[in-house]
Structure formats: C-alpha cells, structure tokens
Amino acid sequence: MEKVIDEFDKDQRELIHLLHEIQKQFGYIPAHMISQIARQLKISESEIFGVLTFYKAFTLKPRGKHLITICMGTACHVRGAPKILDEFKRELSIEPGETSGDNLFTLETVNCVGACALGPIVIINGDYHGQMKTREVDKLIKICRQKNGKR
Amino acid sequence: MDEFDTSELDKIRAEVSESQMKQKTCITICGGTGCHAYGCLKVAEAFKEEIKRQNLQNKVDVRTTGCHGFCERGPIVVIQPEGIFYQRIQLNDIKEVISETIINKKILDRLLYIDPRTEEKIVYEKDVPFYKKQERIIFGNNGFIDPTDIKDYIALDGFKALVKVLFDMTSEEVIDEIKASGLRGRGGAGFPTGKKWEICRKENSEKKYIICNADEGDPGAYMDRSLLEGNPCCVIEGMIIGAYAIGASQGFIYVRMEYPLAVKNVTLAIEQAKKLGLLGKSILGSEFQFDIHIFKGAGAFVSGEETSLMASIEGRRAFPRQRPPFPAQEGLWGKPTNINNVETWANVPLIINKGAEWYSQIGTKKSKGTKIFSLVGKINNTGLVEVPMGIKLKEIIYDIGGGIKDNKKFKAVQTGGPSGGCIPADKLDLPIDFDTLTKAGSMMGSGGMIVVDEDTCMVDIARYFLEFSQEESCGKCVPCRVGTKQLVEILTHITRGEGVEEDIKKLKDLAKSVKEGSLCGLGQTAPNPVLTTIRYFRDEYEAHIKEKSCPALVCKDLIVYNIEPEKCVGCLLCLKSCPVGAITGERKKVHIINQELCIKCGVCFEVCPPKVAAVSKYTGKKRDRILKKDLKQRVKE
Ligand SMILES: Cc1cc2nc3c(=O)[nH]c(=O)nc-3n(C[C@H](O)[C@H](O)[C@H](O)COP(=O)(O)O)c2cc1C
Ligand code: FES
C-alpha cells in the first residue's frame, strides 16, 4: 500500500493521479490511507477528503463483485434508459451508487460512454450490452449470479 | 542535423507506401468504441487467423482503424483499395469474405448496406448516402489509420505541417494563418482560435502552457473521443504547432476517464512521437522544445469548463472561478495558458498544410470549415458526421441520417447538450452554424445532435437536462445551485401531473435569474433546454398541466397500459413476462392488467408480438376511463 503512495512526487498536482491508482488497485479509497497521502503530498486531510468526494470516480466504500453501469446519456435516455434503470433498481432493490447487501452487485450510472448508436447501453464488469430491453434485465442478473455460484 | 531528422519522416513515408503497394489488399476494421461493443476485436482476430490459414499473409493486410463514423452499422469492414463496404459483419461471415471477395473478387450481397429509401444495395463506401453529403476533411483519415502506429499517420502526410511551421514560419506567421482561416473554437463558445493564441503569445512569461480539452461532457456527443481514439497524432501535431506559435513548453491533454480506449491510444501516440523526436527537446532538430502529459479526469461535468479544468489539473476540486483574469493571462499555476478543444486542435495541421485561403472557402461567412456532429437518438443512421458549416438541418437529418427510426414523425433536434436547446420541425431549413443556432435559442456546443420523434416528451427532455445540470452543478454559486434545483422540482411536478398554471411563468422567471446570476457557463446556459421547449412546445406543457396528459405517452405517472380485448389472442407472453404478476388470464382468453399492481415497466408492451400489438398506452381522459373500469372490476371481485 505504501509502495503505491511512495512512487508519487510530493506535490498536490499528483493527488488525482494517485487517487486513480489507489481506486484501481483496491476498488475503493480505504479511509486509513488518507492520512498517508496527506503526509506524502504535504496537503491537509480535509483537502484530500474534499477532492475525493467531489469526483465521481472515487468511492470510499468497496464495490460489489459485479459492477453494473447504466448509461443515462441523452441518446440512451430518449431510447428508454430510465425504464432499464428502474428495472435494475427493482430487481436488485438498490439505488444507483449502492451495493447490494450480499456484496454481489453495485449499481452505477454514467453519462454517455460514447457508444450512442447502441443505446440503451448497460455495461456489466466492462462488457457492453447494447440495445437493451427491459425484459433482458432479469437474464443478465441471473448470469452474474450463476457465475458466482460456480466459483 | 535538422535535415537528417525531417528526412526520417520521408523515409517512413516511403517505407509504408512501399509495403502497402506490396500488400495490394487491406481489410480495414473499424476499431472505435462503438464497434468494440459490437465485437470488432474478435472479428479482426478471426480475419487474421483465416488469412494465416489460407497462407495469404503476403497479399492481404488486416488493419484495425479508428472510427468510421457509421456506428449504426457496426462492426464495419472496408476492403481497400476498392473501398468495398461490408456492415454488421459476424464471425461466421469471415471465411466467405476471404474466399469469395478477396480471392474470387465476388461481392457478398448479404453483407452490403441497403439504402432504406431506395432499397438499393450499395457496394462502395463512397456511395453510401451516409457519407455522400459529408465533407470529411478532419475525420476522414480515421478510416485509413491504425491509431496505434504513428507511421500510418506519417504516411498520410502527417507532421508535414509541423515541419513547415518549424523551419519556414515564424510564430507570428502561424498565428496570422490561423486568424486568416477564420477557425473558431469547437468546444462550445466558438471563440476565434487565432485571436486566443495571439493574446497568450503576447503575455510576458517564461513559462506558458497549452491544454487540449478532451473532457467531452455533453452526454450524447462523442466526436472528441473518436478523434483522440482514432487519429491521436493529428491532435498532437496541432498542439505542437500551437505551442510553437504561443511559445509554450508544456501541454496537457485532459481526457474523460469514461474513455479508456482514447487514453490508451493517445498515450501510445505520445510515446511513439517522443521516440521519433517529434516531442521533447529540440523537436526534429530545431531549437523548439515541447512535451505533452496526459491527465485523466475523474468524472465531473463541470471540469470541462476551462477554469475548473485547470483547478483539476492542479489537483484540486474542479471549481470554476470568475474571469477575468482569463486563462491566457493567469492559467495553470498562475501562468499564461491556452486551452482549446480536441477538434479545434485537429483542424490546425490541415489549415497549415492547405492554407488559410483554401480553408476559409468552406463554411459560412462567420463560421469557417467543417463541424463534426454526433447524430444520435431516434435516427436511422446513428453516427458521427462531418459537414461544412452552413449545411441545412434537413440535409443532416434526412440525406445523411436517413430520416427517423421506424417511420415515426420528426419532432425536434436538441443541439448543444445540456447547455443547448431544441429546434423544432418548422426550422428544418435552418443553415447550421454558430450564429444561427444561437439565434434559434440553442447553441453549437460541442456538436451533439439528439434527434427526437413523436414518442419523446419535451417536458421530460427538459427535466432530464435540468436534472443533469443540477447534479453536475459544483455548488459554488447560489443561483446555479438553488435555481437549477427549483427548476427540476417544478418540472418534476409537471411531469407527475401536479403542475399548476403559474408554473410556466415561474419557470421562465427562474430561468432568467439563473442565467444572469451564475458564475460560470454551466449555470448561465443550464436553463436553455427549459426556455426553448417552452418557446417551441408550450402546448405540451399545457397538456401536462391542464389536462394531466402526456401527449407523447412517456411520463409514467400520466399513462396507463391497457390490453385491447379485441386484439389480444391470449398467448400468455405478457402474463409470463410481467415482473410483478399484474396480468391475469388464460391461454386463448383475453388477458387483463390489474392497474393497481402495474408498475408501468412496459415489458408487456415490449413482448406483445408486433402482429398482435394488443398492448396500448393511454393518457388523459381515456386513461381515466380505463382506471375507473379497473376499479369497478376489483370492487366486484
Ligand atoms: C459547464 C461547461 C462545460 C464545458 N465542457 C467542455 C468540454 O467538455 N469540452 C470542451 O472542449 N469545452 C468545454 N467547455 C468550454 C471550455 O470552457 C472552453 O471554452 C473550451 O475548451 C475552449 O476551447 P475552444 O476555444 O477550442 O472551443 C465547457 C464549458 C462549460 C461552461
Ligand atoms: S448516451 Fe449512452 S452511450 Fe451515449
């Protein structure tokens, strides 16, 4: 953990790079790392906390095993994305930004991933599912659950 | 020394063209994010394997290129040099493409694009109507270049403009050329680029910076991504030329984190450019030195605004600040900084190569050159289109876009994203440029063009954009933070059927004070979608408020789903698919929706076979009648 932080210059301009790196390696920003970052970059913890919570890329809580991201960009919106989101919310009983109680699913939204021709788009663990239909939601969730059962 | 280094570029050009001559045929596969999602990587791999299997490696080359723009039809394959255009290619087509088209020179009919209007099959890329009216002077090279190999760009005369600038032009001459071209910034406001450079040039400072704004926040626009991803070197070349003109020694490319492929390709391109001496100390043997760093955004729309963007690069929260001082005076770390959009930078090498005079002949009097639009929404040919400024909206939507999906009726097009507005059907003859769009109440923005049809509710669209702006408001200034929130609240009430008659006036007054009181462009433009929808679609607002009805049948709280007894064949499909068990019935008997249980997810509407089409949506008085009947039914039970 310290190694990740040590590789960065002692300067505020590295803060966002560093947070990206930690987020990538751990899947979230562990709260106890904030004081270490503060020491390394010579800035206050509250400044780091401010930056951390300002940007959507960083989370203070770990995400679930399966990350479901629903595009809510305009192109996807006019092609029915809100209905798809509603269905995911209902099936998983969570709101965007939340993780299910069993830690299996995290639901997130994004504004346009630049694949508008395929809208509405859902990205599950990095795989793009285009031209989504409401009735396909349940199938996708089942596939994720099955994958987990096998492991 | 300088001679040696520029001749290196010529050597690469000769090498590449020689190897391309040898390999007469080249299968190019679109590798943009859109086609990635369709599985183009597997297609490319399969082509390579098949070519190996048939021992054709010396005759046929496979190249994964940048985005061709016609995302609707992906994965797209173009066979060069003929330009044979195959669309929606699947893995099981590949063997036949090789054995029939490549070896026997026979066209595979089933892979051709069919013009939906004439039902004619089209063989060559250049004849596809989607491309015909376009003028792809910036975006066109994407289809020929493997963005992971700088040599491809060099072979297409890449970095020629840079050589010309470094060895034959002074900084002032470069700025004069850009000024004469009439180029205006493609990031939104359309500020004259040459003038901006000149202001920064004249600042007295040892250190200056330039920035490429690739934050592309407009949800529904992706031309910047496609340029950076598909032809990163042309953006880099533009930046080096700009840095030379301005006297900057360091540059930043600020990319959205939602664009992993763009980050990857541009990082690679910078590495390759460094190796060839195109970046770094003494570029191409000249005295000029310049370097580019990549900065990955962290998911905040406001960071696309120039002062916020700089705060973000400095490692702080992306709060905008008052201007002046402008970035050209006090930018990154207080130093003079010039910031331009991706597409703006991409125009620069072309202007230097072909000259301002040539460039300024394209476009209208005050808007020169071309603009790339992302044509999305309810349109047949979704994709990126590059057209000369001044083209009519009609031509974009019907000639290039192929008209509205499923033969529905065109309602409006939203330009400029959350900062823009909608343009209704009676303005289809509008020639599109910076000034005409502003006059119509909208704006160019970054070039998003979202087409909506009769099934789109304009109040819902206004609410969507306001909700977006409200969520993305950084909260620093009150008019934006509180004002957008109130606008969303009123709009939400209206879409729920809780609106009252004064609401329209309230919306207009609030919009005005948010526009006037906000600190940065986000708040100053956020009310535009409300104002234009009221201006052009007031009747829809009134229907929601007075009749509690949503004419487009979108607003959930104002509609019901109903199964038409005379159409229902009793197939059980909807009954089985309903996630909440709200539908009752038996095989071959009419099914009924229990309105109390119904959550209006629309699955029954989706699954009912089009031939049967027994599920309908109703609003207004008809909705009330159905609800009443439903209530009676349940009381009886
Ligand atoms: C809220 C807001 C968001 C913006 N987002 C972007 C963006 O994503 N990309 C961009 O190039 N410009 C964006 N701009 C405009 C920039 O502030 C700036 O004007 C632009 O990058 C200048 O480049 P240009 O002169 O080449 O157009 C945004 C402005 C505002 C107010
Ligand atoms: S709006 Fe969803 S990918 Fe662009």
Side-chain angles (χ1 to χ4, degrees):
Chain A
M1 207 177 282
E2 259 133 43
K3 236 169 83 196
V4 184
I5 299 178
D6 277 346
E7 279 170 15
F8 282 80
D9 283 347
K10 299 178 168 45
D11 192 332
Q12 173 145 11
R13 70 180 74 179
E14 294 291 338
L15 178 58
I16 291 173
H17 286 305
L18 176 53
L19 291 175
H20 268 307
E21 195 55 37
I22 297 173
Q23 178 81 31
K24 196 168 113 197
Q25 293 207 7
F26 298 92
Y28 71 112
I29 314 282
H32 64 269
M33 289 181 84
I34 293 177
S35 59
Q36 294 174 36
I37 303 170
R39 246 175 287 135
Q40 172 81 9
L41 303 184
K42 305 215 164 17
I43 44 180
S44 73
E45 284 185 33
S46 66
E47 176 69 26
I48 295 171
F49 198 76
V51 169
L52 187 68
T53 47
F54 184 89
Y55 296 100
K56 272 179 261 165
F58 311 123
T59 50
L60 281 160
K61 273 188 279 178
R63 288 188 171 121
K65 281 216 174 77
H66 302 283
L67 177 61
I68 301 179
T69 312
I70 298 166
C71 177
M72 295 305 273
T74 322
C76 289
H77 178 91
V78 301
R79 288 192 183 181
K83 278 202 186 122
I84 309 284
L85 175 64
D86 280 351
E87 190 60 11
F88 271 106
K89 273 167 33 181
R90 208 186 53 79
E91 282 274 344
L92 299 172
S93 304
I94 49 176
E95 290 293 311
E98 292 179 354
T99 299
S100 60
D102 53 8
N103 276 329
L104 272 185
F105 297 99
T106 296
L107 190 60
E108 281 181 2
T109 59
V110 63
N111 290 311
C112 192
V113 290
C116 314
L118 283 78
I121 287 224
V122 172
I123 305 167
I124 301 186
N125 304 324
D127 287 337
Y128 290 64
H129 300 265
Q131 275 142 14
M132 276 291 297
K133 299 262 172 12
T134 318
R135 61 172 187 271
E136 291 162 358
V137 168
D138 152 66
K139 204 167 68 201
L140 287 180
I141 293 176
K142 271 196 193 128
I143 293 173
C144 288
R145 286 224 160 93
Q146 268 162 11
K147 268 191 202 150
N148 244 72
K150 271 183 205 153
R151 250 179 230 161
Chain B
M1 163 137 185
D2 56 12
E3 244 166 353
F4 168 78
D5 272 314
T6 51
S7 69
E8 188 78 348
L9 294 178
D10 291 330
K11 229 160 59 196
I12 291 174
R13 273 178 207 126
E15 251 170 51
V16 175
S17 72
E18 196 186 326
S19 79
Q20 279 172 352
M21 290 289 269
K22 253 193 263 155
Q23 285 166 329
K24 288 198 178 70
T25 307
C26 179
I27 302 176
T28 60
I29 299 156
C30 175
T33 294
C35 282
H36 259 248
Y38 285 120
C40 72
L41 287 186
K42 282 195 193 129
V43 170
E45 274 317 302
F47 264 119
K48 280 186 194 147
E49 259 167 46
E50 186 61 26
I51 285 167
K52 218 162 150 197
R53 215 179 56 85
Q54 301 212 25
N55 230 339
L56 294 169
Q57 294 101 306
N58 296 326
K59 291 199 188 113
V60 187
D61 191 16
V62 177
R63 193 180 308 164
T64 312
T65 67
C67 173
H68 291 232
F70 200 3
C71 312
E72 183 74 36
R73 293 274 131 190
I76 287 178
V77 168
V78 181
I79 299 167
Q80 302 289 13
E82 297 92 339
I84 300 168
F85 184 81
Y86 284 159
Q87 43 107 46
R88 300 241 163 122
I89 284 242
Q90 300 299 318
L91 287 176
N92 53 17
D93 296 322
I94 286 163
K95 231 176 171 165
E96 225 176 319
V97 172
I98 301 283
S99 58
E100 290 302 311
T101 309
I102 303 287
I103 297 176
N104 293 334
K105 300 284 165 212
K106 252 177 63 192
I107 304 291
L108 293 175
D109 259 19
R110 70 180 144 89
L111 295 175
L112 293 179
Y113 172 71
I114 301 173
D115 183 347
R117 289 198 288 180
T118 57
E119 303 203 347
E120 197 187 330
K121 284 191 173 150
I122 292 165
V123 180
Y124 302 106
E125 185 175 31
K126 64 174 178 15
D127 296 328
V128 175
F130 176 75
Y131 294 114
K132 254 190 172 165
K133 273 212 175 168
Q134 294 194 41
E135 200 163 327
R136 301 174 15 113
I137 55 176
I138 305 293
F139 199 50
N141 278 349
N142 264 30
F144 297 99
I145 287 176
D146 174 353
T148 60
D149 189 351
I150 195 169
K151 285 184 182 154
D152 277 9
Y153 178 70
I154 295 173
L156 288 177
D157 288 346
F159 297 106
K160 260 199 178 153
L162 178 64
V163 172
K164 185 169 168 188
V165 163
L166 285 181
F167 302 104
D168 295 330
M169 288 172 92
T170 64
S171 305
E172 286 75 14
E173 281 167 344
V174 176
I175 289 177
D176 285 344
E177 194 72 14
I178 300 295
K179 270 167 84 178
S181 74
L183 175 66
R184 291 170 69 176
R186 303 297 195 237
F191 193 84
T193 306
K195 205 164 143 196
K196 200 186 224 176
W197 289 13
E198 189 170 47
I199 299 170
C200 196
R201 161 97 219 156
K202 285 191 175 147
E203 281 296 314
N204 208 347
S205 169
E206 287 233 320
K207 187 111 197 148
K208 286 178 193 173
Y209 298 101
I210 62 167
I211 298 174
C212 168
N213 189 344
D215 197 47
E216 196 157 63
D218 173 359
Y222 59 104
M223 64 291 291
D224 292 349
R225 188 212 72 202
S226 281
L227 273 174
L228 213 52
E229 188 179 283
N231 192 356
C233 290
C234 85
V235 181
I236 293 172
E237 186 179 5
M239 287 179 73
I240 308 173
I241 293 170
Y244 173 81
I246 290 159
S249 55
Q250 245 187 67
F252 290 88
I253 302 181
Y254 190 100
V255 200
R256 276 183 89 187
M257 64 156 195
E258 287 87 348
Y259 291 170
L261 192 61
V263 174
K264 195 172 133 210
N265 288 356
V266 75
T267 309
L268 204 64
I270 289 176
E271 274 168 25
Q272 293 176 353
K274 275 187 188 153
K275 280 208 190 108
L276 287 173
L278 293 160
L279 280 172
K281 285 197 182 119
S282 135
I283 291 178
L284 291 175
S286 72
E287 311 242 292
F288 180 59
Q289 93 174 50
F290 177 65
D291 243 322
I292 298 180
H293 307 273
I294 294 185
F295 194 96
K296 212 165 91 184
F301 172 68
V302 75
S303 55
E305 194 278 337
E306 52 194 30
T307 59
S308 321
L309 189 147
M310 293 186 301
S312 189
I313 293 183
E314 290 171 9
R316 297 183 286 118
R317 279 174 285 184
F319 279 144
R321 63 159 172 79
Q322 201 97 40
R323 295 171 307 179
F326 287 95
Q329 296 144 346
E330 268 180 45
L332 267 182
W333 299 290
K335 305 288 180 215
T337 303
N338 178 81
I339 175 165
N340 280 120
N341 165 266
V342 175
E343 197 183 330
T344 315
W345 289 118
N347 270 277
V348 171
L350 186 76
I351 294 171
I352 299 294
N353 274 331
K354 298 231 177 177
E357 203 182 306
W358 174 85
Y359 186 87
S360 62
Q361 276 162 11
I362 307 167
T364 60
K365 197 161 167 241
K366 285 192 175 159
S367 304
K368 298 296 180 193
T370 59
K371 175 78 194 92
I372 308 175
F373 290 101
S374 77
L375 191 59
V376 300
K378 306 282 189 70
I379 185 101
N380 273 321
N381 301 335
T382 308
L384 294 177
V385 304
E386 181 178 352
V387 288
M389 297 270 192
I391 191 171
K392 286 193 176 131
L393 194 53
K394 198 165 62 182
E395 295 173 87
I396 299 184
I397 291 176
Y398 289 96
D399 300 342
I400 297 172
I404 311 303
K405 259 194 173 356
D406 305 323
N407 283 323
K408 298 260 177 177
K409 223 171 98 200
F410 170 82
K411 188 186 259 180
V413 53
Q414 168 83 22
T415 68
S419 317
C422 65
I423 296 169
D426 62 7
K427 290 217 161 25
L428 274 171
D429 276 320
L430 192 76
I432 301 294
D433 71 14
F434 284 107
D435 310 299
T436 52
L437 283 175
T438 309
K439 223 171 116 198
S442 181
M443 63 186 270
M444 177 78 78
S446 52
M449 224 177 227
I450 291 115
V451 179
V452 301
D453 65 6
E454 52 190 305
D455 292 342
T456 311
C457 169
M458 297 316 281
V459 188
D460 175 68
I461 281 286
R463 190 189 52 95
Y464 166 80
F465 281 118
L466 261 294
E467 217 166 60
F468 178 90
S469 297
Q470 188 243 319
E471 273 171 27
E472 296 294 343
S473 165
C474 70
K476 190 175 172 185
C477 71
V478 178
C480 176
R481 185 181 67 226
V482 180
T484 53
K485 193 150 181 241
Q486 284 171 341
L487 285 168
V488 172
E489 271 167 20
I490 301 175
L491 289 165
T492 308
H493 276 299
I494 298 177
T495 56
R496 286 203 183 133
E498 295 156 2
V500 289
E501 283 198 34
E502 302 84 72
D503 280 350
I504 296 183
K505 188 173 177 299
K506 251 204 236 156
L507 283 173
K508 280 168 105 175
D509 292 345
L510 248 170
K512 195 161 163 258
S513 53
V514 174
K515 268 178 99 99
E516 283 165 5
S518 293
L519 178 68
C520 85
L522 195 154
Q524 287 156 9
T525 56
N528 287 350
V530 187
L531 291 174
T532 51
T533 46
I534 294 180
R535 175 161 155 200
Y536 298 121
F537 297 96
R538 200 186 173 102
D539 53 330
E540 287 196 32
Y541 279 85
E542 284 173 352
H544 282 75
I545 293 170
K546 289 184 192 152
E547 293 147 34
K548 309 293 171 214
S549 81
C550 174
L553 301 168
V554 170
C555 296
K556 247 181 167 181
D557 294 294
L558 299 181
I559 61 163
V560 290
Y561 287 87
N562 187 50
I563 299 172
E564 311 294 329
E566 68 281 2
K567 284 191 187 162
C568 178
V569 293
C571 69
L572 297 175
L573 250 178
C574 61
L575 190 148
K576 281 188 197 147
S577 319
C578 178
V580 290
I583 301 178
T584 50
E586 286 168 39
R587 182 168 285 285
K588 300 235 163 103
K589 279 193 183 149
V590 172
H591 303 346
I592 297 171
I593 299 176
N594 178 331
Q595 298 295 348
E596 202 180 43
L597 297 178
C598 177
I599 54 167
K600 298 175 195 170
C601 68
V603 167
C604 50
F605 189 81
E606 245 177 40
V607 297
C608 188
K611 263 192 277 173
V612 181
V615 183
S616 317
K617 294 187 257 186
Y618 290 106
T619 187
K621 290 206 178 85
K622 262 206 154 148
R623 169 203 56 212
D624 296 341
R625 245 178 277 146
I626 288 163
L627 285 175
K628 222 180 200 168
K629 203 171 130 201
D630 174 71
L631 196 67
K632 248 195 217 154
Q633 180 72 21
R634 255 171 307 114
V635 170
K636 243 201 282 174
E637 278 163 17

